[in-house]
Amino acid sequence: MNSLADQLLVLCLLINFAVLGTSRLAFSVRCVAVQGVLLGTLPALVHPFSWHVSFIVVSIILVKGGLIPVLIIRAIKKAEIEREFSPFIGYIPSLVLGALFTSLAFIFAAKLPLAPEHEGLLIVPAAAATLMSGFLVLMGRRKAISQVLGYLLMENGIFLFGLLLADAMPVMVEAGALLDLLVGIFVMGIVINHISREFSSIDTSRLSALREE
C-alpha cells in the first residue's frame, strides 16, 4: 500500500510541474482536478478502513476532482480566455524554481521527526513541494484564474500535511475546511466575473491602475 501511495505522490509532484510549465488554463484545471482525485484516494491507502476515512475520501474526490474544476472551467468559458501569455515569472524560470523548491522540500522533510508509520513515505516532501509550487503559481501569474489554481495547489499541500493527522482530526473540522475552500472559489469566481466585465480582461495587474477619486 505504501509503495502505491508513494507512486501517487510522485504523480502529484509531476502534476505540479505540469501546472508550472503550461500557459493553457483549461489544461491546468484538469491537472489540478486529477491531483485532487489522487489526493482523495491517499487516506484510504495510508490509514486503515473507517467511516471517518471513507467520508474524507468521498468528500475530497467529489469536491476537488469534480465540483471545483467544473466551477473554474465555467469561469474560463465565461471570461473567454484560454491561455496566459505574459506571466510575471516565465514558464522556464517557474520550472527551475519548482525543481529547486522540490529539492528543498526533500531536504526539509529528511530533518523532521515523524511517527514510525509515516517514516519512509513521501507525504511530507510532496506536501511541502506542492505548497511552494502553489505559492509560485499564485505570485508568478497575472490572470485571476491562474491565481485561483495556485491557491488550490497550496490547499492540496496543506491537505497532504493533514493526512498525517487524519486519525486525530474531527470530521467537522475537515468539513469546515472543505466549505471554506468552496466559499473561497465561489468568491474568486465573482471577483473574476467583475474584473472581466470592467476591464474586458482578467489580468490582475490592471487593478493597480485603479485610483481613488
Side-chain angles (χ1 to χ4, degrees):
M1 283 293 190
N2 284 350
S3 63
L4 180 57
D6 279 343
Q7 289 171 19
L8 295 185
L9 289 168
V10 170
L11 279 177
C12 287
L13 290 174
L14 293 176
I15 287 173
N16 292 342
F17 286 103
V19 175
L20 286 171
T22 185
S23 63
R24 290 185 294 168
L25 295 176
F27 176 72
S28 297
V29 174
R30 291 188 189 99
C31 285
V32 174
V34 172
Q35 191 177 61
V37 173
L38 294 177
L39 293 183
T41 59
L42 279 175
L45 297 177
V46 298
H47 293 284
F49 174 81
S50 69
W51 289 114
H52 178 203
V53 171
S54 302
F55 172 79
I56 295 174
V57 170
V58 174
S59 303
I60 295 299
I61 290 177
L62 287 179
V63 174
K64 288 178 179 287
L67 184 57
I68 290 175
V70 167
L71 291 175
I72 299 176
I73 289 287
R74 195 173 292 176
I76 289 175
K77 287 181 178 171
K78 219 168 189 177
E80 296 179 345
I81 183 166
E82 295 181 353
R83 290 174 178 268
E84 170 143 10
F85 289 106
S86 53
F88 293 120
I89 303 174
Y91 295 105
I92 300 298
S94 292
L95 287 171
V96 173
L97 286 172
L100 177 65
F101 288 161
T102 302
S103 304
L104 290 174
F106 275 89
I107 294 170
F108 168 72
K111 296 182 181 302
L112 283 181
L114 297 173
E117 63 268 26
H118 298 136
E119 285 180 355
L121 282 172
L122 294 178
I123 290 179
V124 175
T130 304
L131 190 62
M132 289 189 282
S133 297
F135 182 73
L136 189 56
V137 172
L138 189 65
M139 299 304 294
R141 305 291 165 87
R142 289 174 184 270
K143 305 295 184 191
I145 288 174
S146 298
Q147 292 170 353
V148 171
L149 294 174
Y151 169 66
L152 281 175
L153 279 181
M154 288 180 69
E155 201 281 331
N156 284 347
I158 293 168
F159 171 79
L160 274 174
F161 273 122
L163 275 183
L164 301 175
L165 305 170
D167 290 333
M169 195 179 288
V171 173
M172 288 308 293
V173 173
E174 288 151 9
L178 276 177
L179 187 62
D180 285 347
L181 182 64
L182 267 179
V183 170
I185 298 298
F186 185 69
V187 170
M188 284 302 292
I190 294 173
V191 171
I192 290 168
N193 237 355
H194 280 283
I195 295 174
S196 177
R197 198 165 51 200
E198 295 298 326
F199 295 97
S200 300
S201 162
I202 53 172
D203 186 339
T204 54
S205 65
R206 298 187 65 176
L207 293 176
S208 61
L210 293 175
R211 295 284 187 276
E212 190 177 347
E213 293 182 357

